[in-house]
Amino acid sequence: MLRFLLNVIWLVLGGFWLWLLYLVAGAIACLTIVGIPFGVAAFRIGFYALWPFGRTVVDHPAAGVGSTIGNVLWVIFFGWWLALGHVVTAIAEALTIIGIPVALANLKLIPVSLFPLGKRIVPVAGDRYAAYLPDVLTPGRTTGSEDLNLR
């Protein structure tokens, strides 16, 4: 119930606008065939930014050099202004007492807004996160039989 309440507060205090920002970045990236992986990453992170509590970001086990190169390009073209959007939103949220927890959560989204490739978003269950789920939008090795500890 607490996660739901935090997600609703998050949505009202800035999550919706951040989601729109990611949708715009994804649409711009998808205008070219080369940019489609970046657009998919923007959509994935955007839906995480829309409803973040109860999920976490982990490293993708099959990420490699391509993700690193893609992240460098991402930071240059999209990452810096998405991170700036998180900083501005966090400052505005922190001005109210009720907004401080969501402002802190907003700041935690900055690393994934800067380097989204090679990451996965998985549900949290207590102090563990659920086994890797198959990604509909992104390829890569997935397993469904293990639970991994949060770092």
Side-chain angles (χ1 to χ4, degrees), residues 79-132:
W80 68 271
W81 58 276
L82 289 169
L84 182 64
H86 283 290
V87 169
V88 169
T89 306
I91 290 170
E93 290 168 344
L95 294 177
T96 66
I97 299 231
I98 196 168
I100 291 173
V102 291
L104 294 174
N106 213 336
L107 294 176
K108 289 181 182 179
L109 280 168
I110 291 174
V112 76
S113 72
L114 288 171
F115 308 107
L117 302 174
K119 304 290 184 197
R120 294 187 116 177
I121 299 163
V122 295
V124 174
D127 64 342
R128 302 168 72 76
Y129 60 84
Y132 285 127

Side-chain angles (χ1 to χ4, degrees), residues 8-59:
V8 169
I9 292 169
W10 171 272
L11 189 65
V12 171
L13 292 180
F16 178 76
W17 300 109
L18 289 170
W19 174 67
L20 287 178
L21 188 64
Y22 278 99
L23 287 182
V24 168
I28 291 169
C30 285
L31 289 175
T32 65
I33 293 173
V34 176
I36 290 175
F38 299 107
V40 170
F43 296 144
R44 184 170 28 98
I45 303 302
F47 284 108
Y48 177 56
L50 183 65
W51 202 258
F53 295 97
R55 298 187 292 168
T56 190
V57 177
V58 296
D59 292 329

